[in-house]
């Protein structure tokens, strides 16, 4: 799919309420992240509406957003958290207490599994072998057991790195693998099935996927208590077809008499954060105008390079649309440390403040200190448009990641 286009079509700066970045954030030290409390709440309300109308249960996928200081904002609207391993499971259990904790991992570690059982309610295994190794102790501990399936139905174009149904994928059990490895005893352990095939997609892709799930695994679903639709549902994006999503949920619940779960991450924090940066230098190489920022794509927004995509930028447009087109890059030694090319009404100058949008997701939870770059501070924009600081980082935070 074209993440660039979906990113650019989002109202990434709606939460500013018409105020300029300089007005709101001009006094903040840069680079820094700003988390938007009101936009998180708005997303939560949309998700809670889906749950209320359908009876499904919705979880926060912490791999996309794990800024736990803001969990109290989302918690009233959600049924719990989804984790990818021990640390996220513990975080969810501690920071959303009395809510469900679901865990999926491609392969569990034996030396962590007993501790994981202390935090998880639902444990999903990736393969029959993992189910055979860990399913029995998990069942004895009273956990709800699931197996991730691979319906072998790819609805994405390009970006195979994010496509769990790409050829040769290690994620999920195909029907051929099930028929070869699943014994009646292993099948008897299962309470549910889990699939995750989408990435920033609308509910038409879910509908296609559900047809594939029924084709390959429909004979097994009546035996199950629940079916987890995974994540990648762009539910809170304007224009998302919520009616079709709700139709898919109701159809599955009625057809197979089971509980449906969704575990969006991005939809929970879509357009609910910003990255503020300042221009350090401006230069020109041939015909290319360049601005070097104090924020780094490689360090502070790694998804920009991994996906790749160009994040929304306040007041900027596509290259060539406005008089001054500039390539924005970070200060690291990586030649590809580039946010993208943008056009501006006037040339950029040193100390200009730039504000990137939709920076709550896959940023704070993925950033790094490559080149000795400092981690950006984290601030919260409260509903009343006042700011408070959650965390500042210094040399100690860089050093402690590297040794004793």
């Amino acid at each position: 799919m074209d993440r660039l286009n979906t990113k650019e079509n989002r109202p990434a700066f709606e939460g500013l309420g018409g105020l300029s970045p300089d007005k709101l954030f001009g006094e903040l030290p840069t680079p820094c992240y700003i988390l938007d409390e009101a936009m998180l709440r708005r997303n939560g309300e949309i998700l809670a509406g889906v749950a209320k109308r359908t009876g499904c249960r919705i979880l926060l996928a912490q791999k996309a957003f794990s800024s736990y200081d803001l969990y109290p904002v989302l918690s009233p609207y959600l049924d719990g958290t989804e984790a990818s391993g021990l640390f996220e499971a513990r975080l969810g259990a501690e920071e959303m207490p009395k809510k469900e904790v679901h865990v999926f991992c491609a392969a569990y570690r034996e030396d962590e599994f007993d501790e994981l059982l202390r935090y998880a309610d639902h444990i999903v295994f990736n393969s029959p072998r993992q189910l055979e190794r860990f399913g029995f102790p998990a069942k004895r501990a009273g956990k709800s057991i699931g197996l991730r399936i691979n319906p072998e139905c790819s609805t994405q174009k390009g970006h195979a790195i994010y496509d769990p149904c790409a050829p040769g994928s290690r994620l999920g059990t195909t029907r051929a693998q099930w028929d070869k490895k699943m014994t009646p005893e292993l099948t008897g352990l299962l309470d549910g099935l889990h699939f995750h095939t989408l990435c920033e997609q609308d509910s038409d892709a879910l509908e296609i996927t559900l047809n594939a799930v029924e084709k390959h695994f429909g004979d097994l679903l009546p035996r199950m208590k629940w079916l987890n639709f995974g994540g990648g549902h762009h539910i809170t994006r304007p224009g998302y077809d919520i009616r079709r999503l709700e139709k898919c949920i109701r159809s599955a619940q009625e057809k197979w008499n089971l509980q449906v779960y969704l575990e969006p991450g991005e939809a929970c924090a879509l357009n609910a954060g910003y990255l503020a940066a300042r221009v350090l230098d401006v230069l020109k190489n041939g015909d290319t105008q360049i601005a070097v920022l104090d924020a780094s794509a490689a360090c502070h927004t790694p998804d920009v390079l991994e996906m790749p995509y160009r994040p929304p930028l306040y007041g900027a447009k596509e290259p060539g649309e406005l008089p001054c087109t500039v390539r924005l890059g970070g200060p690291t030694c990586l030649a590809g440390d580039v946010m993208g090319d943008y056009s501006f009404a006037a040339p950029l100058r040193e100390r200009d403040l730039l504000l990137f949008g939709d920076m709550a997701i896959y940023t704070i939870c993925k950033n790094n200190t490559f080149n000795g770059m400092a981690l950006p501070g984290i601030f919260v924009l409260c509903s009343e448009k006042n700011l408070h600081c959650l965390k500042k980082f210094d040399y100690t935070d860089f050093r402690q990641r590297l040794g004793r």
Side-chain angles (χ1 to χ4, degrees):
M1 65 167 298
D2 192 341
R3 177 164 175 150
L4 170 60
N5 288 338
T6 59
K7 280 272 183 185
E8 297 289 24
N9 289 337
R10 302 174 191 174
F13 304 101
E14 181 181 335
L16 301 185
L19 299 175
S20 72
D22 277 298
K23 177 75 172 177
L24 285 169
F25 310 130
E27 300 301 317
L28 295 182
T30 60
C32 68
Y33 302 110
I34 303 108
L35 300 175
D36 192 324
E37 188 177 272
M39 293 302 291
L40 283 172
R41 188 171 289 110
R42 171 190 169 275
N43 290 339
E45 290 169 351
I46 293 172
L47 296 173
V50 172
K52 183 178 181 180
R53 290 187 295 270
T54 64
C56 76
R57 299 178 73 81
I58 300 182
L59 313 168
L60 165 65
Q62 297 176 100
K63 62 188 175 185
F65 181 78
S66 50
S67 297
Y68 57 86
D69 290 283
L70 279 297
Y71 282 15
V73 176
L74 287 171
S75 182
Y77 307 105
L78 302 175
D79 295 289
T81 56
E82 182 275 334
S84 302
L86 173 60
F87 286 176
E88 282 187 356
R90 179 174 176 176
L91 187 70
E94 292 178 347
E95 300 299 332
M96 278 198 198
K98 300 181 180 179
K99 299 274 187 174
E100 295 184 37
V101 177
H102 293 227
V103 187
F104 164 77
C105 187
Y108 293 99
R109 293 173 59 104
E110 188 170 4
D111 60 344
E112 294 180 348
F113 199 74
D114 286 345
E115 185 178 359
L116 182 67
L117 293 177
R118 291 166 47 190
Y119 304 112
D121 303 300
H122 288 57
I123 299 181
V124 177
F125 298 96
N126 187 58
S127 68
R129 174 56 182 154
Q130 283 278 296
L131 178 63
E132 182 182 34
R133 286 191 65 194
F134 298 108
F136 294 99
K139 198 72 170 182
R140 288 193 296 269
K143 308 305 176 182
S144 188
I145 307 302
L147 183 71
R148 178 167 174 166
I149 55 174
N150 180 349
E152 300 176 87
C153 175
S154 179
T155 55
Q156 301 183 47
K157 293 181 180 179
H159 304 309
I161 188 174
Y162 287 102
D163 185 358
C165 290
S169 172
R170 75 191 191 287
L171 297 173
T173 298
T174 65
R175 187 57 197 248
Q177 291 169 326
W178 177 295
D179 291 340
K180 185 176 181 180
K181 298 291 185 179
M182 287 294 287
T183 65
E185 187 178 25
L186 290 179
T187 303
L189 288 173
L190 294 178
D191 298 298
L193 298 178
H194 173 289
F195 65 87
H196 174 53
T197 68
L198 307 182
C199 177
E200 295 188 342
Q201 288 170 276
D202 212 317
S203 49
D204 56 342
L206 171 63
E207 191 172 62
I208 293 168
T209 300
L210 269 177
N211 289 333
V213 168
E214 181 171 16
K215 175 183 176 182
H216 293 291
F217 298 96
D219 59 315
L220 305 169
L221 286 166
R223 312 180 200 177
M224 302 299 158
K225 298 177 182 177
W226 51 263
L227 177 62
N228 191 320
F229 286 9
H233 317 279
H234 234 192
I235 302 166
T236 54
R237 173 176 53 80
Y240 179 91
D241 191 346
I242 289 180
R243 286 189 178 183
R244 190 194 298 257
L245 168 68
E246 293 179 353
K247 179 183 176 183
C248 289
I249 293 168
R250 292 192 189 98
S251 175
Q253 291 182 153
E254 293 167 5
K255 186 180 299 182
W256 298 308
N257 190 30
L258 43 69
Q259 174 70 60
V260 166
Y261 283 94
L262 303 177
E263 47 182 46
E266 187 159 325
C268 291
L270 190 69
N271 295 326
Y274 316 97
L275 174 65
R278 289 196 181 274
V279 177
L280 297 178
D281 191 16
V282 292
L283 58 144
K284 191 171 185 179
N285 185 345
D287 294 330
T288 304
Q289 191 69 40
I290 301 165
V292 180
L293 312 182
D294 58 7
S296 162
C299 298
H300 306 145
T301 64
D303 231 28
V304 166
L305 303 185
E306 289 180 11
M307 189 56 137
Y309 77 99
R310 193 194 70 163
L313 178 61
Y314 184 91
K317 293 191 175 182
E318 295 287 335
E321 286 192 37
L322 294 175
C324 303
T325 295
V326 184
R327 178 163 298 164
L328 303 181
T332 74
C333 69
L334 179 68
D337 187 1
V338 173
M339 290 287 196
D341 291 0
Y342 300 81
S343 66
F344 301 85
L348 293 181
R349 299 172 299 177
E350 291 180 19
R351 296 292 301 160
D352 279 350
L353 179 69
L354 301 181
L355 191 70
F356 296 95
D358 200 19
M359 290 283 115
I361 53 173
Y362 295 110
T363 51
I364 299 172
C365 57
K366 291 186 74 171
N367 62 20
N368 61 79
T369 59
F370 171 65
N371 264 198
M373 291 290 292
L375 296 171
I378 306 171
F379 294 81
V380 175
L381 178 64
C382 301
S383 299
E384 303 79 15
K385 293 294 182 282
N386 57 307
L387 290 158
H388 75 267
C389 179
L390 279 184
K391 179 78 171 177
K392 291 183 178 179
F393 300 91
D394 57 22
Y395 172 73
T396 303
D397 299 289
F398 161 70
R399 180 185 169 94
Q400 70 182 8
R401 292 160 63 109
L402 302 174
R404 59 183 176 82

